[in-house]
Amino acid sequence: MKTVKFNATQYAELARTLTGTILVYTTQDGKESAQQFFGPEFEPADKSENEIFRVWKNVMATFWSVKAEENKLREDNDGIRSKLRASTPSSVIFRTAKGETVKSYQLDESVWARIGLVPTKKDFERTARDYAKAIHRAAKASFDALGFRIMLAKEETTEVSKTEKKVKPTEKPLPLAAAS
């Protein structure tokens, strides 16, 4: 696992040059910090959705394995904490090793208050036997939530106007006698 945590000043200077998967966190006063995951397992090889999901699943697996190890270590020393944040990032950016942005999700505009990167105690109790399946299901659910947006009224009207130009009405109006 290769990860680096950047404070607001560091992230502002390096934002355009980071590669891999970047989780951006925004404070209430608008300052952005980030957690970068880099290396071949966190950098999409191409722009396909399967490749982005592969990378996202690796990020989720990292959160789960770090949380499991943290729980073991905290039994002996409650002061041990990982640098991975439990809060939901304001955006997630996927970049190739060359620095090309493959996909970016803005979560502050999403309807989801949390996407659940860090597993809960209940997740560990329920998934002792099928750990890999649980990570896959959690990754799939959060990946679906990343791309989910509600279409606002303005967006709906633009989509309708685009389709009106392409689609010709095929139904003929009913004669007045047949309508009654």
Side-chain angles (χ1 to χ4, degrees), residues 34-95:
Q35 182 80 38
Q36 176 195 21
F37 295 87
F38 58 96
E41 62 272 10
F42 301 113
E43 296 168 349
D46 56 40
K47 294 184 179 189
S48 69
E49 190 170 293
N50 287 340
E51 188 63 17
I52 296 170
F53 179 72
R54 177 193 67 84
V55 170
W56 183 246
K57 186 175 173 182
N58 288 337
V59 170
M60 291 290 293
T62 300
F63 270 91
W64 280 57
S65 63
V66 167
K67 184 64 177 175
E69 190 64 27
E70 180 182 321
N71 288 342
K72 289 178 195 172
L73 294 172
R74 287 185 64 193
E75 289 174 5
D76 295 330
N77 182 352
D78 194 44
I80 293 177
R81 300 282 190 273
S82 76
K83 67 168 111 176
L84 302 179
R85 294 170 69 173
S87 61
T88 300
S90 59
S91 64
V92 180
I93 303 166
F94 296 97
R95 290 198 183 124

Side-chain angles (χ1 to χ4, degrees), residues 85-132:
R85 294 170 69 173
S87 61
T88 300
S90 59
S91 64
V92 180
I93 303 166
F94 296 97
R95 290 198 183 124
T96 64
K98 296 178 182 177
E100 301 168 346
T101 301
V102 173
K103 188 74 175 173
S104 177
Y105 295 101
Q106 294 298 323
L107 297 177
D108 51 359
E109 298 172 3
S110 174
V111 295
W112 303 108
R114 296 191 58 178
I115 56 170
L117 293 170
V118 177
T120 62
K121 182 179 178 183
K122 186 176 179 181
D123 289 326
F124 285 119
E125 290 171 355
R126 177 176 50 200
T127 62
R129 291 185 317 173
D130 55 350
Y131 188 72

